[in-house]
């Protein structure tokens, strides 16, 4: 690794920075091991420093990414979108460059890196950034930082606790960055054990049950995922990977590269929907792959690698097992179930309330704020692009599952008396919007509504990450003072803790989707898109907003209003607590008021490209 | 008829070449003699024989690794010692694995104090003798050598199983092992005599070629050779602990010392897998284009693999004794290895070799933790692990890593092994579909599904141990309620942490290993 930094053809700064972003938390966890056990305060500050550094690197990555977007922007259009900036285009270009007879030097500025990890199985260490992954990485770094601040009071086996949280952060960031399916799976599994121990050792009364339930559900999901990955690996992609000119090798090629496999997926979709004549070969001009511009109405979709024999490739593809409806349905189902467990979607959600109730406050924050997002991200990044045909056939049902989650989560939340359990079910309901937004796949001219839905879904993930983490922190603060979470015995908190009440009011309203706060933007976009997709799905989602408002306001009343002698002596929030809560409250307002400036301007181009790629093959 | 001088010198040069290739075994045999002789001199007995034995094994291992000029697997080559042994890269790989394992095991024994100094000579002699037998098994090229290897490996194992003298469970385990072993040896011998009678020779290549052609060409296979083959596989199945020959294993594991269980679990299995893989490869090479072999033997093996893995995993779920649970887990892993063997393809065999390397490290580690627990707490139950992570972070975290790897979680070595096996099974299905057998495609897809479901089931018992080690409070606490430190010697801690780091590295960098395994198969 080090000698490659010195070699000018091998040197690649984005490889270094993306690796630093991924592994910095683990390095800090390793550093914790050398701090002697009695310096507990040092350990806390050290891990806080690590989390801060990670957030800083993530923010710098955002600046870098913005520069990348800017490099192709002509500033005459509203959007920074340019197809050459799409992650898949950058990945394809890098593969093309590397496949030349004399490989070109790696680009340091494309925010994508691919190095061989295992040549025999073509497993690559490939990391890439686009708007969506970057937004979620920023969220991860922020929530982890806040969770570390929130865990200042934890004293039992502190070293292990902090190490677990940092390892978890590395796993999540790695999973968001990974482009190679195998690498993604490794990072995805890396999160399993830290979370198991975090719930199981530092949790509440039924922590062991909750921890084991969490692991079994997650393992079920990841086994489905593994089956899907092995299935995808069996696909012969020889016509989809670039080869040096004059390379006449004809053996099968298999890959874990999700970008290549998503091109296969789109080609299969064209074949299965009877449009195989539209499959085209990528063209090259001046050593660069020619991207498909958004206004390009050319019917041909360039999917095959440059130099591929189109007729033979289509014939081979049609003969392959992957090109059958059954295969596509199974593939999509495996991917969908794998990620649905993580989202979680009804009926695979039942681990979530248990895990949330038993986990300590900071772990709940990470669980709600970060880990659930991996499910939505997986659907966005892998499930839809890798099996687009099945996704488009089944999208109404996927939306239906999302809508059921929305309604079910809200209704069950209504009946809870445990504050944390109520928030857990509200998470099920809120994450349902993510699934619904992704599922509103409408074709052709109405694709802009789908784009809106996907925009809304991703934004909803960010907004939910902020509000849910914050509300779990609120519960933790209340619990520290009252030592119970029973909504019927709480009340009157506004009187002793006005500042706390004010800050949490913002977050409650943000969570129920009040315009001007972050929860509104995502839900509104999703509902708008759902309305144009199917009334049957939109109407329950719309009506549920009333339910959401009802249960959250009712909770608000039961916790904060009234007078209650039991709570009258509670102390106002400490500076440490307010630093967490006010950060979240400020973000909730900022994202609600300026979503376009803060998020969409750099996130939307990626979504636009994603939608464009998929809609083009729907025809 | 005596050979003339030209033939004689040719024979002599072949013999010396063979002897050089056979040097590791000769060193082991010399070491055994040395250990026995050392007992004659009381003043020399102050040295713990474990160190002497470890030195001998290390010497044998270096000699083996230094033997670069091994013979290749070309068809014209008759094999070493007029065709009795085949000292090719494949056997080189497995012999290296066995020697490495024995070395690591001896180092562990030096740390854990089983055997004590008085018994150490006996123990080490038995261990080295067993290893020698296993090494002969992996390089056997003749049915006679197969039987000799099997028996040479089995007899020391019987004695080792009952090595803890004065313990009822140990003696019972040894007796059970002997009875099962003797029965299976008898059946194997019957199979060997049938095969030798049919083909007129015991040479493995000739026999398997004849069998392969019989299976591939004719519609109905003659009863006699088929029965011979089945009886031969009974012997392999006994060593592998494949269902229905697994009954001895849990009892033996429970009764024997953890170190001996590790030997039976890893070394015996490695040799049995190697021997089975060799026979299967030879059978397939007899008629590479035909799918008939896969349609008969492959499906049968797939069925056995399914039952073995499922049986092992289901039975392990209800165990409370750690060694017994690891015993059932050993059966389950034999099932996974059989899955790869049942593909009858080179990919699958290479996958098994890699799997064995990972399995060596993680299972040795798990049994080492059991040995430490036994020494420090006197119990070998899952309950004895309670609060282990709090009591001793080094042992607890290592146990977590070993069990997570046995479960097959990335980025640990066990995941790589499982991944290779599963993808080999999947590829076999696809390849046989192309070769024109949709039945086989179904069989192997089903087998893949069975493997995946089994992995999920196995999470149940591995996690139960981890739950006990990580989440439960320790039983042994001091006055203020803090968990008492386990107080393991630092050597053991270093040993365990070292093994877990190796496991992690194997999970991250496995390209060289696959290259090595693939070249060994070719």
């Amino acid at each position: 690794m080090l000698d490659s930094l010195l070699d000018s053809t091998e040197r690649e700064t984005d490889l270094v920075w993306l690796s630093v972003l991924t592994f910095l938390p683990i390095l800090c966890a390793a550093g914790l091991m050398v701090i002697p056990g009695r310096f507990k305060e040092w350990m806390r500050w050290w891990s806080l420093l690590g989390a801060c550094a990670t957030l800083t690197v993530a923010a710098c990555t955002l600046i870098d990414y913005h520069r990348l977007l800017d490099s192709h922007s002509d500033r005459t259009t509203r959007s920074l979108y340019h197809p050459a900036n799409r992650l898949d285009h950058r990945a394809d270009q890098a593969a093309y460059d590397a496949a030349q007879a004399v490989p070109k030097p790696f680009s340091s500025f494309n925010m994508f890196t691919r190095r061989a990890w295992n040549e025999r199985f073509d497993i690559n260490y490939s990391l890439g950034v686009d708007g969506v992954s970057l937004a979620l990485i920023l969220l991860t770094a922020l929530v982890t930082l806040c969770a570390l601040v929130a865990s200042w009071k934890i004293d039992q086996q502190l070293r292990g606790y902090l190490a677990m949280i940092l390892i978890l952060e590395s796993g999540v960031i790695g999973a968001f960055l990974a482009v190679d399916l195998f690498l993604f799976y490794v990072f995805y599994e890396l999160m399993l054990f830290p979370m198991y121990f975090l719930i199981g050792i530092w949790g509440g009364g039924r922590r062991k049950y909750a921890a084991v339930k969490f692991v079994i559900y997650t393992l079920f999901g990841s086994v489905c995922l593994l089956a899907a990955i092995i299935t995808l690996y069996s696909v012969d992609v020889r016509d989809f990977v670039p080869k040096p000119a004059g390379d006449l090798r004809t053996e099968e090629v298999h890959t874990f590269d999700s970008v290549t496999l998503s091109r296969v997926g789109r080609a299969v979709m064209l074949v299965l929907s009877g449009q195989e004549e539209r499959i085209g070969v990528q063209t090259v001009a001046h050593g660069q792959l020619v991207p498909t511009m958004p206004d390009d109405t050319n019917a041909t979709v360039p999917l095959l690698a440059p130099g591929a024999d189109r007729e033979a490739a289509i014939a081979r593809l049609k003969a392959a097992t992957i090109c059958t409806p059954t295969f596509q349905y199974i593939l999509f189902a495996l991917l969908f179930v794998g990620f649905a467990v993580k989202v979680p979607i009804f009926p695979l959600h039942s681990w979530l309330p248990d895990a949330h109730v038993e986990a300590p406050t900071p772990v709940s924050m990470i669980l709600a704020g970060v880990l659930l997002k991996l499910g939505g991200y997986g659907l966005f990044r892998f499930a839809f692009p890798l099996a687009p045909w099945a996704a488009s056939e089944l999208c109404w049902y996927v939306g239906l599952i999302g809508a059921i989650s929305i309604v079910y989560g809200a209704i069950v939340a209504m009946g809870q008396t445990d504050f944390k359990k109520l928030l857990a079910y509200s998470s099920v309901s809120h994450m349902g919007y993510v699934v619904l937004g992704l599922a509103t796949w409408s074709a052709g001219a109405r694709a802009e509504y789908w784009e809106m839905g996907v925009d809304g879904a991703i934004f909803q993930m960010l907004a939910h990450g902020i509000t849910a983490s914050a509300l779990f922190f609120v519960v933790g603060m209340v619990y520290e003072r009252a030592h119970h979470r029973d909504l019927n015995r709480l009340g009157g908190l506004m009187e002793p803790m006005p500042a706390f009440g004010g800050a949490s009011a913002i977050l409650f309203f943000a969570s129920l989707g009040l315009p001007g706060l972050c929860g509104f933007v995502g839900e509104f976009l999703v509902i708008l898109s759902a309305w144009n997709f199917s009334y049957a799905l939109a109407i329950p989602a719309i009506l549920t907003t009333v339910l959401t408002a009802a249960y959250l306001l009712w909770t608000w009343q039961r916790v904060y209003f009234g007078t209650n002698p039991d709570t009258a002596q509670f102390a106002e929030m400490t500076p440490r607590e307010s630093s967490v809560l006010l950060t979240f409250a400020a973000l909730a307002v900022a994202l609600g008021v300026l979503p376009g400036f803060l998020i969409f301007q750099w996130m939307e181009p990626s979504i636009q490209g994603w939608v464009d790629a998929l809609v083009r093959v729907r025809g | 008829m005596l050979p003339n001088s030209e033939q004689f010198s040719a024979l002599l040069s072949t013999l010396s070449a063979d002897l050089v290739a056979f040097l590791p075994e000769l060193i082991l045999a010399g070491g055994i003699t040395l250990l026995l002789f050392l007992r004659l001199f009381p003043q020399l007995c102050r040295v713990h024989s474990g160190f002497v034995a470890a030195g001998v094994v290390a010497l044998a291992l270096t000699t083996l690794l230094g033997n670069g000029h091994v013979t290749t697997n070309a068809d014209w080559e008759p094999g070493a010692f007029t065709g009795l042994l085949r000292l090719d890269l494949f056997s080189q790989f497995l012999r290296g694995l066995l020697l490495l394992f024995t070395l690591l095991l001896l180092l562990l024994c030096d740390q854990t104090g089983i055997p004590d100094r008085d018994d150490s000579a006996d123990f080490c002699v038995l261990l080295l003798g067993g290893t020698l037998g296993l090494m002969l098994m992996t390089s056997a090229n003749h049915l006679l050598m197969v039987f000799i290897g099997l028996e040479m490996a089995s007899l020391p194992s019987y004695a080792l199983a009952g090595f803890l003298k004065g313990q009822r469970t140990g003696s019972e385990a040894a007796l059970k092992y002997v009875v099962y072993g003797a029965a299976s040896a008898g059946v194997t011998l019957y199979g060997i005599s049938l095969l030798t009678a049919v083909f007129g020779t015991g040479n493995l290549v000739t026999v398997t070629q004849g069998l392969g052609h019989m299976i591939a060409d004719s519609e109905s296979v003659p009863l006699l050779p088929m029965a011979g083959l089945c009886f031969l596989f009974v012997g392999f199945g006994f060593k592998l602990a494949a269902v229905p020959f697994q009954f001895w294993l849990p009892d033996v594991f429970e009764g024997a010392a953890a170190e001996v269980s590790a030997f039976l679990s890893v070394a015996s299995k490695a040799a049995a897998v190697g021997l089975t893989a060799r026979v299967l490869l030879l059978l397939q090479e007899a008629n590479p284009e035909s799918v008939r072999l896969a349609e008969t033997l492959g499906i049968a093996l797939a069925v056995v693999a399914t039952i073995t893995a499922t049986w092992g995993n289901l039975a392990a779920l209800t165990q409370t004794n750690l060694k017994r649970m690891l015993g059932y887990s050993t059966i389950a892993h034999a099932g996974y290895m059989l899955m790869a063997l049942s593909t009858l393809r080179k990919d699958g065999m290479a996958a098994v070799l890699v799997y064995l390397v990972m399995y060596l490290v993680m299972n040795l580690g798990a049994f080492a933790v059991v040995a430490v627990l036994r020494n420090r707490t006197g119990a070998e139950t899952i309950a004895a692990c309670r609060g282990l992570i709090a009591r001793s972070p080094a042992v607890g975290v290592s146990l977590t890593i070993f069990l997570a790897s046995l479960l097959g979680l990335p980025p640990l070595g066990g995941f790589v092994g499982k991944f290779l096996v599963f993808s080999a099974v999947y590829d076999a299905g696809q390849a046989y579909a192309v070769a024109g057998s949709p039945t086989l495609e179904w069989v192997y897809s089903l087998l893949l599904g069975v493997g995946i479901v089994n992995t999920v089931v196995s999470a149940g018992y591995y996690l139960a141990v981890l739950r006990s080690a990580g989440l439960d409070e320790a039983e042994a606490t001091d006055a203020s309620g803090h968990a008492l430190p386990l107080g393991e010697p630092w050597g053991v801690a270093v040993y365990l942490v070292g093994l877990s780091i190796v496991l992690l590295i194997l999970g991250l960098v496995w390209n060289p290993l696959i290259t090595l395994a693939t070249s060994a198969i070719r």
Side-chain angles (χ1 to χ4, degrees):
Chain A
M1 190 70 105
L2 277 179
D3 53 326
S4 74
L5 291 181
L6 300 172
D7 182 355
S8 64
T9 54
E10 291 271 307
R11 187 166 45 208
E12 193 183 2
T13 34
D14 50 0
L15 166 71
V16 177
W17 281 111
L18 294 180
S19 304
V20 166
L21 179 58
T22 314
F23 293 108
L24 193 57
I26 280 198
L27 285 179
C28 288
L32 275 178
M33 298 302 147
V34 298
I35 301 182
R38 56 181 188 281
F39 297 130
K40 290 201 164 171
E41 202 64 13
W42 283 49
M43 290 186 198
R44 296 193 179 100
W45 281 105
W46 169 256
S47 33
L48 195 67
L49 182 75
C52 278
T54 313
L55 182 59
T56 314
V57 175
C60 293
T61 313
L62 172 61
I63 297 172
D64 227 15
Y65 180 65
H66 204 278
R67 183 199 47 71
L68 176 77
L69 287 183
D70 226 20
S71 65
H72 277 105
S73 152
D74 58 357
R75 283 283 165 202
T76 53
T77 48
R78 189 181 59 85
S79 167
L80 285 171
Y81 174 63
H82 189 284
N85 286 332
R86 274 162 47 176
L87 179 59
D88 52 352
H89 185 268
R90 279 179 281 143
D92 285 341
Q93 179 69 46
Y96 177 76
D97 287 348
Q100 295 308 302
V102 180
K104 288 195 194 169
F106 296 104
S107 163
S108 280
F109 305 104
N110 60 355
M111 311 287 285
F112 175 84
T113 179
R114 183 191 278 135
R115 294 296 166 98
W117 178 12
N118 186 314
E119 287 91 357
R120 166 87 169 67
F121 280 83
D122 191 25
I123 298 170
N124 288 299
Y125 173 74
S126 59
L127 304 175
V129 167
D130 75 347
V132 177
S133 59
L134 192 52
L136 292 168
I137 287 168
L138 281 166
L139 179 74
T140 307
L142 180 81
V143 171
T144 311
L145 180 64
C146 290
L148 281 173
V149 176
S151 24
W152 218 261
K153 287 284 176 60
I154 284 181
D155 210 42
Q156 177 204 354
Q157 295 180 38
L158 182 68
R159 191 202 306 270
Y161 175 85
L162 295 173
M164 289 296 157
I165 291 210
L166 290 171
I167 293 174
L168 191 64
E169 185 182 11
S170 262
V172 177
I173 293 180
F176 282 139
L177 281 177
V179 175
D180 190 275
L181 282 169
F182 193 93
L183 188 68
F184 173 80
Y185 185 75
V186 169
F187 281 123
Y188 196 76
E189 290 287 285
L190 190 63
M191 295 177 291
L192 187 64
F193 268 97
M195 205 60 199
Y196 171 70
F197 285 122
L198 282 172
I199 298 175
I201 298 184
W202 292 275
R206 288 167 72 231
R207 58 178 193 270
K208 295 168 198 166
Y209 168 77
V212 170
K213 196 168 177 181
F214 166 80
V215 167
I216 288 176
Y217 268 83
T218 311
L219 214 56
F220 170 70
S222 48
V223 163
C224 288
L225 209 56
L226 186 63
I229 291 174
I230 291 183
T231 314
L232 281 167
Y233 184 69
S234 73
V235 178
D236 177 14
V237 294
R238 75 179 106 165
D239 301 308
F240 293 85
V241 290
K243 281 184 208 154
D247 183 350
L248 296 173
R249 279 176 296 166
T250 51
E251 75 261 31
E252 294 192 4
V253 178
H254 302 276
T255 187
F256 288 105
D257 188 55
S258 66
V259 172
T260 309
L261 288 169
S262 73
R263 269 191 284 126
V264 178
R266 276 179 275 155
V268 169
M269 180 159 179
L270 285 178
V271 172
L272 287 180
S273 53
Q275 315 175 67
E276 62 186 63
E277 71 285 352
R278 292 183 56 209
I279 299 178
V281 180
Q282 289 175 334
T283 45
V284 180
H286 313 298
Q288 303 287 317
L289 294 178
V290 179
T292 316
M293 300 306 285
D295 52 355
D296 188 354
T297 48
N298 191 351
T300 320
V301 191
L303 294 171
L304 303 169
D309 178 357
R310 187 174 165 276
E311 306 303 324
I314 293 175
R316 255 198 292 276
L317 187 66
K318 282 169 77 177
T321 9
I322 179 143
C323 210
T324 54
T326 333
F327 201 94
Q328 289 289 313
Y329 279 131
I330 292 175
L331 182 62
F332 182 72
L334 286 173
L335 288 166
F336 183 75
V337 171
F339 291 116
V341 172
K342 207 82 184 181
V343 170
I345 294 170
F346 174 86
L348 298 169
H349 67 282
S350 83
W351 61 273
L352 185 75
D354 286 306
H356 265 315
V357 169
E358 301 308 331
T361 304
V363 177
S364 283
M365 288 167 69
I366 294 182
L367 188 58
V370 175
L371 286 197
L372 304 191
K373 307 302 171 283
L374 267 168
Y377 178 76
L379 292 178
F380 169 84
R381 175 72 76 217
F382 300 115
F384 275 73
L386 290 176
W389 181 79
S392 77
E393 293 290 309
L394 296 174
C395 61
W396 195 85
Y397 299 95
V398 172
L400 180 67
I401 296 173
I404 291 176
S405 288
I406 296 175
V407 178
Y408 172 85
I411 291 177
V412 179
M414 200 86 161
Q416 301 302 318
T417 54
D418 183 322
F419 201 164
K420 251 187 166 176
K421 216 164 197 170
L422 181 138
L423 289 180
Y425 280 109
S426 92
S427 281
V428 175
S429 174
H430 280 126
M431 291 303 285
Y433 285 100
V434 177
V435 178
L436 180 59
L438 287 174
T440 54
W441 188 336
S442 31
R446 293 167 78 83
E448 64 206 63
Y449 287 112
W450 188 31
E451 194 186 320
M452 229 177 247
V454 180
D455 275 344
I458 306 292
F459 194 89
Q460 172 75 3
M461 289 210 273
L462 294 178
H464 177 260
I466 289 167
T467 56
S469 315
L471 286 179
F472 276 112
F473 183 64
V474 165
V475 181
M477 285 176 66
V478 173
Y479 184 76
E480 258 180 39
R481 289 164 173 77
H483 304 292
H484 68 81
R485 291 186 303 257
D486 187 352
L487 287 172
N488 295 327
R489 285 158 62 202
L490 288 167
L493 281 182
M494 204 61 177
E495 205 172 329
M497 312 169 73
F500 170 64
S504 37
I506 296 176
L507 294 161
F508 265 90
F509 286 117
S511 182
L512 66 80
L514 194 75
L517 294 169
C518 64
F520 172 73
V521 183
E523 279 179 28
F524 178 73
L525 286 173
V526 168
I527 288 175
L528 197 63
S529 159
W531 180 260
N532 283 288
F533 174 63
S534 155
Y535 297 128
L537 299 182
I539 290 169
I542 294 169
L543 291 180
T544 309
T545 53
V546 181
L547 269 183
T548 310
Y551 72 77
L552 280 173
L553 285 178
W554 192 31
T555 310
W556 167 256
Q557 284 183 2
R558 283 186 287 176
V559 176
Y560 293 90
F561 284 172
T563 50
N564 187 343
D566 296 340
T567 62
Q569 305 306 318
F570 284 4
E572 180 57 282
M573 58 181 176
T574 63
R576 176 180 66 83
E577 288 168 339
S578 54
S579 69
V580 174
L581 203 56
L582 293 180
T583 309
F584 281 132
L587 276 173
V589 177
L591 292 192
V593 179
L594 292 171
F597 173 70
L598 288 176
I599 302 293
F600 281 130
Q601 66 155 324
W602 51 270
M603 187 177 84
E604 204 181 3
S606 303
I607 295 172
Q608 213 172 330
W610 187 85
V611 169
D612 184 63
L614 289 181
V615 166
R616 221 168 258 281
V617 289
R618 172 85 170 251
Chain B
M1 189 172 74
L2 287 170
N4 61 30
S5 66
E6 206 170 301
Q7 288 169 321
F8 188 74
S9 64
L11 278 177
L12 207 59
S13 72
T14 328
L15 179 66
S16 58
D18 290 347
L19 280 176
V20 169
F22 196 61
L23 208 52
E25 280 85 349
L26 295 179
I27 291 174
L28 272 194
I32 293 170
T33 326
L34 178 72
L35 284 170
L36 289 172
F37 263 110
L38 277 182
R39 304 207 75 181
L40 296 180
F41 307 100
Q43 57 269 42
L44 285 176
C45 276
R46 302 229 177 86
V47 193
H48 194 296
S49 303
F51 291 107
V52 181
V56 168
V57 176
L59 184 64
L61 187 58
T62 26
T63 319
L64 183 78
L65 295 180
N67 262 347
H69 51 87
V70 286
T71 50
T72 51
N73 208 4
D75 287 334
W76 49 267
E77 206 268 328
F81 301 114
T82 62
L84 283 180
L85 292 179
R86 187 162 285 264
L87 302 168
D88 51 5
L89 275 174
F90 180 77
S91 95
Q92 175 110 341
F93 187 98
L94 282 165
R95 284 150 78 212
L97 204 65
L98 286 168
L99 285 173
L100 180 69
F101 174 77
T102 313
L103 182 61
L104 288 173
L105 188 65
L106 282 166
L107 292 178
L108 176 71
C109 289
D110 289 337
Q111 300 285 345
T112 56
I114 285 226
D116 56 18
R117 195 191 293 158
D118 295 337
D119 286 339
S120 65
D122 301 345
F123 186 87
C124 294
V125 164
L126 289 171
L127 200 61
L128 294 195
T131 310
L132 189 57
L134 294 172
M135 286 168 78
L136 287 179
M137 265 170 79
T138 59
S139 37
N141 193 37
H142 194 280
L143 287 173
L144 196 61
M145 286 312 293
V146 169
F147 186 72
I148 290 176
L150 272 173
E151 283 307 286
M152 249 183 101
S154 294
L155 289 174
S157 307
Y158 304 147
L160 281 173
F163 196 76
L164 295 177
K165 289 186 276 290
Q167 266 197 16
R168 202 188 149 82
T169 48
S171 314
E172 199 180 311
L175 185 64
K176 196 161 187 175
Y177 197 14
V178 172
V179 171
Y180 272 96
S184 83
V187 176
T188 314
L189 201 54
Y190 186 31
I192 288 174
S193 46
L194 284 180
L195 286 177
T196 319
V198 172
F199 294 101
T201 171
N203 189 302
L204 213 48
V205 179
T206 322
V207 170
T208 46
Q209 281 211 334
L211 264 174
H213 283 302
M214 266 185 199
I215 296 172
D217 301 339
S218 57
E219 277 305 305
S220 60
V221 182
L223 181 65
L224 271 188
M226 213 52 203
L229 189 65
C230 290
F231 289 153
L232 191 62
F233 276 116
V234 169
F236 300 169
F238 168 73
K239 275 274 158 208
L240 264 174
V243 172
F245 310 109
Q246 90 296 2
F247 287 105
W248 59 274
L249 190 134
D251 294 325
V252 171
F253 274 38
E254 193 181 352
E259 292 83 350
V260 175
S261 303
F263 180 73
L264 296 181
S265 164
V266 178
S268 292
K269 189 151 299 175
V273 165
L275 185 53
T276 318
R278 185 186 287 277
V279 172
L280 291 176
L281 269 179
L282 285 172
L283 277 174
Q284 182 63 17
E285 266 166 21
N287 206 340
E289 268 79 50
S290 162
V291 293
R292 280 274 293 165
L293 188 69
E295 277 176 345
T296 49
L297 198 57
I299 291 180
L301 280 171
V303 171
V304 173
T306 303
I307 300 173
T308 306
T310 315
W311 180 291
N313 280 321
L314 290 181
L317 281 175
T318 57
Q319 301 305 318
T320 54
N321 183 303
L322 207 50
K323 274 196 308 196
R324 218 179 156 81
M325 188 214 86
L326 284 175
Y328 281 112
S329 132
T330 300
I331 297 177
H333 282 273
Y336 299 131
M337 290 186 223
L338 274 171
M339 284 181 190
L341 289 178
S342 77
T343 61
L344 302 177
R345 298 176 78 234
K346 287 186 173 169
D347 289 359
M349 305 303 166
V352 162
L353 290 189
V354 177
Y355 197 104
L356 276 174
V357 176
M358 309 300 183
Y359 181 75
L360 182 159
V361 182
M362 59 199 185
N363 230 23
L364 175 64
F367 277 108
V369 172
V370 177
V372 175
L373 273 179
R374 174 202 62 212
N375 280 2
R376 305 303 309 173
T377 67
E380 293 173 330
T381 54
I382 294 177
C385 304
R386 292 175 72 169
L388 189 65
I389 291 186
R391 294 185 67 188
S392 162
V395 178
V397 171
S398 309
L399 179 68
T400 310
I401 291 179
F402 298 140
L403 293 186
S405 176
L406 281 169
L407 172 56
L409 288 182
L412 300 167
F415 170 69
V416 174
K418 225 168 237 184
F419 171 76
L420 291 176
V421 166
F422 287 171
S423 47
V425 169
Y426 187 88
D427 285 349
Q430 300 293 308
Y432 286 127
V434 173
S437 173
T439 334
L440 281 175
E441 190 193 3
W442 270 107
V443 168
Y444 287 107
S445 307
L446 208 63
L447 193 62
L448 181 68
V450 168
I452 286 172
V453 170
N454 262 298
T455 304
V456 178
V457 172
S458 71
Y461 57 92
Y462 292 127
L463 285 179
V465 181
L466 287 186
R467 176 183 154 147
S468 181
L471 311 190
D472 288 340
E473 270 85 32
E475 274 172 348
T477 52
D478 59 11
S480 58
H482 286 97
L484 275 180
L486 191 66
E488 78 281 357
W490 64 268
V492 172
V494 170
Y495 186 87
L496 290 175
V497 171
L499 279 186
S500 17
I501 291 175
V502 167
L503 204 50
L504 186 63
I505 293 175
L506 284 177
L508 290 176
V509 188
W510 33 287
N511 214 23
L513 205 54
I514 297 182
T515 320
L516 198 64
T518 316
S519 65
I521 292 296
R522 192 178 301 131

